[in-house]
Amino acid sequence: MCYMIAVGKKASADGSTMVARNCDSNSTEAQRIISVPRMKHSPSETIRIPDSNNVVIPQVAETYAFTAITRMVDGDDIGMVAGGINEFQLSAGASTGGWLKKEVEDVSPIPEKVIGDYRMQLILERCKTAREAIKWLGDNVAEYGARTDNYILADPNEVWLYEEYQDYHWAAVRLPDDCFLVEANSFRI
C-alpha cells in the first residue's frame, strides 16, 4: 500500500528536510501532475468538496502557488492531492491511516461532513509552514471531523507527522531534526 518517508534536516547530508510518498492508486484512477499559480478569489467564492455529502467551504481571498500529484475528476472544484509542494516550500504527503477495530468504529464513527485527503490541496493553497498546516488541520477536524488518515508535512525547518482517528480525534508530533521516518498505512503516534 502507500507509504511516506520523511527526513529531518540534521538527518540529511545537506541539511534539507525531505518528504516522499509512494502511491498505491487504483489503475482506474489517473494521477495528474498539476501546477497551480497563486490566485485571488472573490469573497463569495466557495469550494464543493467531492465525496463528502456535499460539503461546501468558503474560499480564502488568496491561494498560494503549488505543484502536486492529484487525482482530479473533470468538473470537481478540487483534487485529491497525494503529495505536493507550495511556493513557500511547504511539502505535504497523505496516506491512509489504517483501520480501526469494529468496537472503536461503533463509538467513534466517521462524521458525515469529513473532507479527507482533499485537505492536502487546501493546505498547500493556504499554509506557509508545517506548523501552520498542523494548526489548520486541527481546526478543520474540529469543524468537519476526521477519517483515518495520516499526513507528513515539512517546510525547510521542520517535519511533522499528523494522524487522525475518526470522529473528531487527531494527534501530531514533530519529527526530531536528526531522525527519519518510514510511515506505512498505520498509526505511529
Side-chain angles (χ1 to χ4, degrees):
M1 297 207 135
C2 28
Y3 63 89
M4 299 178 293
I5 298 170
V7 179
K9 62 185 177 182
K10 290 183 180 175
S12 66
D14 67 354
S16 297
T17 61
M18 293 181 245
V19 174
R21 180 181 188 276
N22 173 57
C23 186
D24 64 344
S25 291
N26 184 316
S27 62
T28 63
E29 295 178 358
Q31 301 291 307
R32 296 181 185 175
I33 297 174
I34 59 172
S35 188
V36 180
R38 183 183 275 244
M39 291 189 272
K40 296 201 182 283
H41 302 277
S42 70
S44 62
E45 272 188 71
T46 59
I47 302 169
R48 184 187 53 79
I49 306 297
D51 309 322
S52 67
N53 288 329
N54 297 313
V55 169
V56 176
I57 63 169
Q59 181 57 281
V60 293
E62 185 172 30
T63 51
Y64 305 136
F66 70 95
T67 300
I69 297 170
T70 185
R71 184 192 82 190
M72 190 70 145
V73 176
D74 291 336
D76 283 351
D77 292 349
I78 189 170
M80 186 181 287
V81 167
I85 188 167
N86 74 11
E87 65 183 277
F88 298 99
Q89 296 182 20
L90 171 64
S91 299
S95 181
T96 303
W99 294 265
L100 302 176
K101 291 180 180 181
K102 177 78 172 117
E103 299 85 15
V104 175
E105 287 181 354
D106 289 344
V107 297
S108 188
I110 296 176
E112 290 184 24
K113 300 187 307 181
V114 72
I115 292 175
D117 288 342
Y118 295 98
R119 290 181 292 198
M120 288 293 94
Q121 180 169 331
L122 297 171
I123 286 168
L124 293 172
E125 290 178 338
R126 297 168 183 220
C127 299
K128 293 181 179 180
T129 68
R131 193 175 292 253
E132 181 183 0
I134 292 295
K135 181 180 180 333
W136 186 91
L137 278 164
D139 292 345
N140 185 271
V141 167
E143 185 167 350
Y144 297 102
R147 299 186 316 184
T148 55
D149 291 313
N150 47 14
Y151 307 138
I152 292 178
L153 302 153
D155 60 39
N157 296 307
E158 295 183 329
V159 178
W160 283 80
L161 172 60
Y162 164 89
E163 296 177 352
E164 61 184 44
Y165 314 100
Q166 286 191 193
D167 205 7
Y168 293 86
H169 307 289
W170 67 277
V173 64
R174 184 172 182 261
L175 183 71
D177 290 340
D178 62 348
C179 292
F180 69 92
L181 171 77
V182 178
E183 172 81 20
N185 284 353
S186 60
F187 300 122
R188 294 282 183 264
I189 299 175

